Amino acid sequence: MRKNSEDIKEFLKNIKLEIVIVIVYIVLYIIKNKCHLSELFNLQSYFTQDRLNGVATFFAITIATYIAVVTILATTEIGISKRMLEQRLDKPLINVIMFGVIENFIAVALSIFMPSSEVVYELIALFIILSLCSFVKFIILLITIFKVNMNEMAKSIDDKEKYENDLIGELKKISMYCKKNNENK
């Protein structure tokens, strides 16, 4: 039971920016309607069919990116895996990918399948913002993972070079010892 509560806390921690964006968006929507600013911010004229197709295409590509990264991380044991677990980057990455894919699916579905209405356009705008936010968080996590991986690779290369140098040093000592033994015979 405690593990589930920790997972929920971790999940909520990872999506707090999205929660704030939804709250701010709702407040701005209410202000827009109360002050009759709908004419100034007419999303129906902004979201033409070409733009909606572009939105759907862009987020379909980001979904493919999420899936590609998940597939790579899930099917390979890379040097970074241990460090990711140590630095607890695995759960934030999983949460960002999961939430990002859901947001992207909703943005694509709204853009393609929902009939045109003011509410649908408002939802499309909201999910575009949320999806872009999640994608930026995803890129930041990938950059962090890349940096950790580069550090691990550099450490591994240094360790290998040290091992090889130590081995060559020991082989030279053995060779010198063998030469001295042969000279003394």
Side-chain angles (χ1 to χ4, degrees):
M1 186 67 157
R2 185 171 179 222
K3 178 78 169 140
N4 289 337
S5 134
E6 290 175 11
D7 287 344
I8 291 170
K9 286 179 185 177
E10 182 77 24
F11 180 73
L12 290 174
K13 178 183 161 194
N14 289 326
I15 65 163
K16 64 183 171 189
L17 179 61
E18 286 87 346
I19 293 169
V20 169
I21 289 171
V22 169
I23 292 169
V24 168
Y25 195 88
I26 291 170
V27 168
L28 290 176
Y29 179 76
I30 292 169
I31 290 171
K32 181 179 92 166
N33 287 336
K34 292 267 188 203
C35 297
H36 305 292
L37 299 173
S38 297
E39 306 84 42
L40 294 175
F41 303 103
N42 186 358
L43 292 176
Q44 192 167 4
S45 65
Y46 180 76
F47 285 121
T48 63
Q49 192 57 47
D50 284 342
R51 282 203 175 112
L52 290 175
N53 291 340
V55 166
T57 301
F58 177 77
F59 288 118
I61 291 169
T62 58
I63 289 170
T65 304
Y66 285 134
I67 291 171
V69 170
V70 166
T71 303
I72 290 168
L73 292 176
T75 59
T76 58
E77 186 177 325
I78 54 177
I80 188 67
S81 300
K82 181 179 175 187
R83 295 287 292 174
M84 275 180 59
L85 293 172
E86 287 173 358
Q87 292 191 359
R88 300 185 189 271
L89 292 174
D90 56 324
K91 286 184 182 179
L93 183 63
I94 291 167
N95 289 336
V96 165
I97 290 172
M98 181 179 67
F99 212 64
V101 168
I102 291 169
E103 292 165 345
N104 289 350
F105 271 125
I106 293 172
V108 169
L110 288 170
S111 298
I112 295 174
F113 300 116
M114 294 302 291
S116 299
S117 73
E118 181 183 336
V119 174
V120 170
Y121 291 129
E122 291 291 341
L123 287 173
I124 290 171
L126 174 61
F127 277 97
I128 287 172
I129 294 167
L130 291 173
S131 297
L132 291 174
C133 171
S134 290
F135 196 67
V136 168
K137 287 167 60 176
F138 173 71
I139 297 297
I140 290 169
L141 278 169
L142 283 183
I143 290 170
T144 303
I145 290 168
F146 175 75
K147 287 179 182 178
V148 171
N149 197 32
M150 288 288 113
N151 290 338
E152 283 298 307
M153 285 173 43
K155 183 179 178 247
S156 176
I157 290 169
D158 290 344
D159 289 347
K160 184 179 177 185
E161 284 180 6
K162 183 183 179 315
Y163 173 77
E164 288 172 353
N165 289 338
D166 289 347
L167 187 61
I168 289 171
E170 292 301 317
L171 289 172
K172 284 181 181 177
K173 287 179 187 176
I174 292 170
S175 175
M176 289 174 57
Y177 177 78
C178 288
K179 282 182 186 178
K180 283 184 183 179
N181 268 350
N182 285 340
E183 289 174 3
N184 289 340
K185 287 185 179 181

